[in-house]
Amino acid sequence: MALSSSLFTGTSGLKNMGNAMQVVGNNISNVNTVGFKRGRSTFADTLYESVATQAGTDQMGRGMSIGEVGQNFSQGSFESTGNTTDLSIGGDGFFIVRQRQTENNFYTRAGNFYFDKNGQFVNPEGYVVQGWDLDEETGEDTGAIKDLVLEAFTSSPEKSSKVTSITNLDADAVSKSVVLSNNWDSGEETHMEGTNYEYQTVVKAYDSLGSTHDITIYYDKKSGTEWEYAVACDPEEDNRNLVQGTDSKGLLARGSIQFSESSGDILNMTMSEFTGRLGNFKANGVNTADNINYKIVNYEKAALDGYGFSFEFDGSSWSFTDPNNDGVITPDEKPENYTNATIVYSDNQEIQLALDPDSPTDREPDIRIKLDQPAVATDSLGFDINNKNDMHVQGIEGTQYFGDTANDNTTLEINEPNVMTHDSKDLGIVWNPTEEQWYWSNPEIANSAGTLVTDLGTNNSGNISTDTSDVRVQDAAPMSMYSDDINLRYNGNLGAWDWNMPLKTEDIVNQAFDFTPANDPVLSVETAGSQGAIASVDGAGDQEPIVLDWDGSNWTVGGGGELNTSVIAGGSDETQVQLGIWDDTIGSSSEGSVIQYTFGSSLDTTTAAIDSIEFEIDPSPPQEYPDAVVTPGENPAGNPSDGIGIDFNDDTITDIYFDTDSGGTPGNGNTFSFDTNPNVPPAEYSDATLRGDQTEAIIDLDGSGNESDNEDIRFTFTDPLKFGGSTHPYNDRSEIDFDIIGSTSWSPIDKSEITQSGYFSFTTDFLGGDFGSTENEIELDIGTVYDGINFVNDSMSTTQFAKASSTVFQDADGYAAGDLQSVDIASDGVITGVYSNGELIPLFRVGLAKFLNNYGLSNEGGNLFSETRDSGTAITNKPGENGLGTLSPNSLEMSNADISEEFVNMITTQRGFQANSKTVTTTDEMMQTVINMKR
């Protein structure tokens, strides 16, 4: 029994040494296998046999067996391959691959992967690598772990949502435009002439189909540290519905930038968006103005201004707003130029409006309106229609300068064009140098309002009518200056009216002097008294000339007809003569005027020779109207009367007629007075205010009076205007005439609307979808962001420095369509697609798995392992997290088998095998001896 056991003991050694040699051979054969983990065999003695000995029972060995064939999971060396999709794991973990057509997952350290023809990320055996899809925008993982499959080899285009333009604007530049955006003309080959702006820069933006479009930003300096800008695109590419058929196509937005005087950094910014033919959008109810979409179907019908379209919803249909709440909408209650406008269809989400139906049965809409949300009762909306010509223009045109404002002495600034919402023609402002004040000069407007001629008064014992109904203005335009107390007197001898204004030097006419010798007298006139006027009449035969005689010691006066005159005692001698002159209806010379002659040398006092002065008085018109003449009275029926006609500009046409004799026949010496007051603001801007001095005139059109908004229009004068003490305010006056061109196509964006994004945005539509479906909001980033309180500048922002204007940086998000050219794989497993359009788009993330017991994995061949009960369930996560290693692209992990170590193992295994073979052969010889004993 013992010899047989010895034989089997040797045999077990031979067998298991052979198995160990197989493990060594397998390691050597896989010395270049990617990701291979070498095996290691360990031996164990077998169950021992108990035998009886003298000492009792002992045990004897029965040979050996393979205790374990395990794998060594130590890190193998990395080999650089130059192939992006070759991956190696630096640290713990396994790649996860799934066998096709099954739900079986396997695990491997061999990262020799590639994309097959179906876009699947696979290993050489076709097993699909597992991981996560990534969000293209954020790069975050989405969904559960899955097959990594590249389903599209092209990158879809992305429309632009922001353009960035960082510039420096030359602090030494000068203004080239009053309002920059007014110079745009899409009908011209050059849409904005270079002489109208300081600098321009162009940024390319993308539409939703990936086409590029030039966004041009024009800059011009307004004054000091304030600049204005305009944003535009190629008119041929502007497909916004509301700008078609106009010279405003391509104009997108405008605004202003305020810089710091000391640092040149941005302090403030504004923007107004250009809306087009429709503007001044209003909404009240469930839909905001942004939730209402407009489409003009017939452009020809919407060619004129139409302000104040307003609609209300009663719960079932829309109607024009009823201003009088009488249930009837008359044509005059609809916007001017669109009095026939009719709603041809409406429901809670649509209005179809015909602007001028050809017949009562014409149901074709010219404007269609769609609401995002169904309307409810009491909802309302409104808008304006703007004339298609120059509807982007908000400014002043037709300026004419008179007096000191002429000859390039005046500079016009428009600081807030957005308040110019309506056209207003034939406006004027006048500087009165005597009163040192600016007045409106709008006689036509004042006449329409019934305020042009005011304060009618008489001194006539009730013989003259002052009823305003007896006033007929035939031409208001010449009454362009404010004039207080224009006074006339009735001459009963002539049966005519003449001026009765304060006596002036130029009223003394036909002067004759009889001096020996000549004394070069100097004339002066001073008006005194509460009335400030004298009753003076024309010296053409109806009044005797006034004669002053010097007899060597005294002055005497003669002539003058009905005038009361006297030489003023104490004011007359051989050096001067003072003559008091007053109306016979005035009590004394203290309430009249004083005419004084001062002599170059004293008169002769030694002889009785008579020296004399002779002159006549020709009353002159008000100083505000030096050319005015009184014309023969003519009543409204065209018959001669004792009324008063006045031709203010001496063009032979009576401008105003007073039917004074309707209250009775005027008597000799009766007076009539009135004021002309054209000092009214434009009818379209009734709250406008006017102020200024000899250096500037300032108009606040909306009457806000706010410190930041009270200089909407500003005229400045290089040389100050005449001012103070002038006796000829008409001749010394200065006047500015102009027209206001208005529009409601500009929609100012309030800062509260950009609190969330921090950037102003404008609207483009390069594709022309229905009801604005292809419109795109693009933010404008000039290097500053609004934080809800202030504008905060980035590290790189637009500046105003004293160097040439230039573009520092520009960019736009969005991109065109592109083809996949390659992929990049990062250490965290993110696979990024590199496309021909220059975009880098996150595609996938490779997942890794780890096990609590790697040694419990089952080796499935093909460099694959599968989980077992001993290994535990796979724990998946991102590379670099939860104890997992990171990835190294362009490399593969090689076998961790060391050939020198394996050769040593081979030698020791071989020697063991040889030793065991000796046990067998020796035992065989011993058995042979036993057999020979029988012989």
Side-chain angles (χ1 to χ4, degrees):
M1 192 63 187
L3 287 177
S4 298
S5 296
S6 298
L7 184 63
F8 287 114
T9 298
T11 302
S12 68
L14 290 174
K15 177 181 178 181
N16 291 313
M17 286 298 172
N19 289 335
M21 183 61 72
Q22 182 177 350
V23 172
V24 172
N26 184 60
N27 289 343
I28 294 174
S29 65
N30 285 287
V31 71
N32 291 322
T33 300
V34 176
F36 177 77
K37 300 303 176 184
R38 67 185 181 90
R40 182 187 65 177
S41 56
T42 57
F43 302 113
D45 52 356
T46 59
L47 182 65
Y48 280 74
E49 177 184 4
S50 297
V51 296
T53 65
Q54 188 174 359
T57 302
D58 285 320
Q59 292 179 308
M60 296 179 61
R62 300 181 63 183
M64 50 86 73
S65 64
I66 299 294
E68 176 192 35
V69 178
Q71 288 190 288
N72 186 328
F73 286 95
S74 63
Q75 181 82 56
S77 61
F78 290 170
E79 178 187 6
S80 178
T81 65
N83 185 3
T84 303
T85 57
D86 284 343
L87 305 176
S88 56
I89 303 173
D92 291 339
F94 298 87
F95 297 110
I96 311 167
V97 295
R98 184 187 65 82
Q99 187 179 17
R100 294 178 181 177
Q101 310 301 324
T102 72
E103 296 298 324
N104 299 328
N105 284 342
F106 295 90
Y107 308 92
T108 181
R109 296 280 295 192
N112 48 334
F113 304 131
Y114 61 90
F115 287 100
D116 66 11
K117 64 179 182 179
N118 297 318
Q120 295 178 323
F121 198 43
V122 298
N123 70 356
E125 286 74 30
Y127 288 40
V128 185
V129 180
Q130 303 294 291
W132 294 271
D133 284 335
L134 298 181
D135 184 279
E136 292 185 4
E137 298 295 330
T138 65
E140 297 297 322
D141 299 352
T142 61
I145 196 167
K146 54 174 288 189
D147 292 351
L148 299 187
V149 181
L150 189 61
E151 297 177 348
F153 287 83
T154 60
S155 166
S156 299
E158 180 68 26
K159 63 184 179 182
S160 296
S161 61
K162 178 192 285 188
V163 294
T164 301
S165 177
I166 309 300
T167 58
N168 176 68
L169 301 174
D170 188 357
D172 295 329
V174 296
S175 177
K176 296 182 179 180
S177 292
V178 178
V179 178
L180 176 62
S181 57
N182 289 351
N183 300 302
W184 178 264
D185 190 344
S186 63
E188 296 292 333
E189 183 176 353
T190 301
H191 310 307
M192 181 80 81
E193 292 291 343
T195 55
N196 293 324
Y197 60 86
E198 160 66 19
Y199 185 67
Q200 71 161 355
T201 186
V202 181
V203 185
K204 288 191 177 296
Y206 296 88
D207 62 29
S208 59
L209 298 182
S211 298
T212 59
H213 306 273
D214 287 346
I215 301 295
T216 304
I217 307 173
Y218 301 92
Y219 297 95
D220 188 53
K221 192 173 187 179
K222 289 187 70 68
S223 61
T225 57
E226 186 175 7
W227 288 71
E228 60 180 333
Y229 66 90
V231 183
C233 66
D234 186 342
E236 296 299 320
E237 298 176 351
D238 188 359
N239 289 304
R240 292 174 295 165
N241 175 266
L242 300 186
V243 300
Q244 301 308 307
T246 73
D247 54 9
S248 306
K249 283 188 65 176
L251 200 54
L252 302 173
R254 73 179 182 197
S256 63
I257 306 171
Q258 184 70 49
F259 293 96
S260 167
E261 293 183 359
S262 57
S263 68
D265 295 327
I266 298 172
L267 294 179
N268 196 14
M269 180 181 180
T270 67
M271 178 181 281
S272 294
E273 189 171 13
F274 184 67
T275 60
R277 291 195 186 216
L278 304 186
N280 193 26
F281 299 110
K282 298 177 181 178
N284 183 36
V286 296
N287 289 277
T288 65
D290 293 335
N291 298 134
I292 303 175
N293 305 292
Y294 297 84
K295 179 180 180 180
I296 298 178
V297 180
N298 189 336
Y299 294 107
E300 294 304 317
K301 290 291 185 70
L304 302 175
D305 282 338
Y307 286 2
F309 279 90
S310 181
F311 307 94
E312 56 188 4
F313 188 64
D314 63 5
S316 61
S317 63
W318 290 86
S319 63
F320 281 91
T321 300
D322 185 358
N324 297 321
N325 293 319
D326 57 7
V328 178
I329 306 296
T330 60
D332 61 355
E333 292 175 334
K334 296 178 181 179
E336 187 178 0
N337 297 324
Y338 297 97
T339 56
N340 294 327
T342 303
I343 297 175
V344 296
Y345 172 81
S346 70
D347 57 30
N348 62 355
Q349 279 192 275
E350 184 172 1
I351 303 173
Q352 296 184 7
L353 179 66
L355 296 175
D356 187 16
D358 295 328
S359 68
T361 60
D362 183 5
R363 310 297 292 176
E364 293 297 322
D366 300 315
I367 296 178
R368 295 179 61 193
I369 306 169
K370 284 192 174 181
L371 289 70
D372 290 348
Q373 301 296 326
V376 299
T378 72
D379 280 5
S380 62
L381 62 88
F383 59 89
D384 295 337
I385 296 178
N386 290 284
N387 190 309
K388 69 174 183 178
N389 298 318
D390 295 328
M391 64 185 183
H392 63 284
V393 176
Q394 288 181 313
I396 286 180
E397 292 186 352
T399 50
Q400 293 183 335
Y401 301 101
F402 303 95
D404 290 344
T405 62
N407 301 321
D408 298 326
N409 191 43
T410 303
T411 300
L412 169 63
E413 298 175 11
I414 297 179
N415 298 308
E416 186 46 75
N418 283 328
V419 301
M420 299 181 181
T421 55
H422 292 67
D423 291 346
S424 190
K425 303 290 187 179
D426 302 322
L427 305 180
I429 59 174
V430 173
W431 168 250
N432 189 316
T434 302
E435 299 185 28
E436 299 183 21
Q437 185 172 344
W438 282 96
Y439 292 95
W440 292 103
S441 181
N442 297 322
E444 299 282 3
I445 299 172
N447 187 45
S448 298
T451 60
L452 178 60
V453 180
T454 60
D455 293 337
L456 277 66
T458 64
N459 180 12
N460 55 19
S461 302
N463 293 333
I464 303 175
S465 172
T466 56
D467 190 339
T468 55
S469 64
D470 292 332
V471 179
R472 184 177 63 192
V473 177
Q474 300 183 133
D475 186 5
M479 289 180 273
S480 59
M481 282 195 75
Y482 175 79
S483 182
D484 184 17
D485 197 20
I486 299 176
N487 201 300
L488 298 100
R489 177 180 180 276
Y490 188 73
N491 188 324
N493 296 328
L494 294 177
W497 292 89
D498 204 350
W499 302 113
N500 189 37
M501 302 303 299
L503 193 64
K504 300 182 285 293
T505 302
E506 56 265 31
D507 295 342
I508 309 303
V509 298
N510 298 330
Q511 301 176 75
F513 306 100
D514 186 7
F515 293 147
T516 305
N519 283 281
D520 299 324
V522 176
L523 171 66
S524 63
V525 175
E526 181 178 351
T527 298
S530 60
Q531 286 192 358
I534 66 165
S536 55
V537 294
D538 193 345
D542 60 292
Q543 174 188 300
E544 299 175 4
I546 297 175
V547 179
L548 294 172
D549 292 325
W550 171 253
D551 64 5
S553 60
N554 295 296
W555 286 95
T556 59
V557 60
E562 61 188 281
L563 297 178
N564 288 330
T565 60
S566 66
V567 175
I568 299 176
S572 300
D573 55 26
E574 68 274 11
T575 62
Q576 66 177 11
V577 58
Q578 293 181 346
L579 177 67
I581 182 169
W582 66 96
D583 188 337
D584 58 2
T585 61
I586 300 176
S588 69
S589 61
S590 64
E591 297 182 8
S593 298
V594 174
I595 300 174
Q596 175 176 296
Y597 285 97
T598 303
F599 309 111
S601 60
S602 299
L603 299 179
D604 189 353
T605 61
T606 62
T607 68
I610 296 177
D611 292 333
S612 66
I613 302 173
E614 182 178 321
F615 61 88
E616 298 175 357
I617 297 177
D618 185 10
S620 62
Q623 57 186 2
E624 292 85 4
Y625 298 104
D627 297 325
V629 294
V630 180
T631 62
E634 185 178 274
N635 64 27
N639 300 317
S641 72
D642 292 325
I644 304 171
I646 300 178
D647 175 7
F648 282 91
N649 55 355
D650 195 17
D651 61 356
T652 72
I653 299 174
T654 298
D655 301 317
I656 189 170
Y657 173 78
F658 300 95
D659 188 16
T660 59
D661 57 352
S662 65
T665 302
N668 187 45
N670 286 170
T671 62
F672 180 82
S673 64
F674 65 94
D675 298 342
T676 57
N677 185 14
N679 184 35
V680 293
E684 297 81 5
Y685 302 93
S686 58
D687 294 327
T689 61
L690 171 65
R691 60 185 174 88
D693 54 26
Q694 68 274 15
T695 63
E696 63 181 5
I698 298 170
I699 300 175
D700 178 16
L701 276 182
D702 59 358
S704 64
N706 297 328
E707 287 298 324
S708 60
D709 183 30
N710 59 1
E711 296 186 0
D712 300 330
I713 302 172
R714 185 169 181 257
F715 298 95
T716 57
F717 314 113
T718 304
D719 296 324
L721 310 180
K722 294 183 180 71
F723 66 98
S726 173
T727 59
H728 305 285
Y730 184 88
N731 295 328
D732 290 345
R733 74 174 184 167
S734 294
E735 182 176 347
I736 303 174
D737 296 337
F738 57 92
D739 299 332
I740 293 178
I741 306 301
S743 168
T744 59
S745 291
W746 290 101
S747 178
I749 302 174
D750 193 85
K751 292 177 184 176
S752 61
E753 299 179 41
I754 66 168
T755 301
Q756 184 172 0
S757 67
Y759 299 100
F760 288 110
S761 63
F762 54 89
T763 301
T764 63
D765 189 349
F766 300 119
L767 303 178
D770 202 24
F771 284 100
S773 59
T774 54
E775 287 184 348
N776 183 26
E777 294 286 330
I778 299 180
E779 296 175 346
L780 177 62
D781 179 8
I782 64 170
T784 189
V785 61
Y786 185 65
D787 65 0
I789 301 175
N790 299 304
F791 281 93
V792 180
N793 295 325
D794 299 333
S795 57
M796 184 168 61
S797 65
T798 294
T799 54
Q800 180 191 247
F801 295 147
K803 65 176 184 177
S805 298
S806 61
T807 299
V808 179
F809 172 79
Q810 64 180 26
D811 188 29
D813 62 0
Y815 43 84
D819 297 321
L820 182 66
Q821 293 182 318
S822 62
V823 294
D824 286 335
I825 304 178
S827 61
D828 60 355
V830 173
I831 301 179
T832 302
V834 180
Y835 291 84
S836 59
N837 57 6
E839 291 303 309
L840 303 176
I841 301 178
L843 301 174
F844 316 110
R845 187 193 302 274
V846 175
L848 294 183
K850 72 173 184 177
F851 298 89
L852 296 177
N853 177 22
N854 289 343
Y855 299 102
L857 293 172
S858 173
N859 199 328
E860 303 294 338
N863 297 326
L864 301 176
F865 298 94
S866 62
E867 65 181 44
T868 67
R869 181 179 300 174
D870 291 338
S871 67
T873 303
I875 302 171
T876 60
N877 215 317
K878 303 174 186 178
E881 294 188 5
N882 197 28
L884 292 170
T886 57
L887 301 188
S888 295
N890 303 292
S891 65
L892 292 173
E893 182 183 0
M894 301 307 295
S895 170
N896 65 354
D898 186 335
I899 192 169
S900 60
E901 184 177 346
E902 297 304 324
F903 279 161
V904 170
N905 290 337
M906 180 184 293
I907 293 171
T908 58
T909 301
Q910 178 187 9
R911 292 305 183 189
F913 186 89
Q914 289 177 337
N916 279 282
S917 66
K918 289 296 184 180
T919 300
V920 173
T921 56
T922 301
T923 301
D924 178 61
E925 290 177 357
M926 292 175 65
M927 293 182 68
Q928 185 63 40
T929 301
V930 171
I931 292 172
N932 290 336
M933 289 174 59
K934 183 179 178 182
R935 297 177 183 175

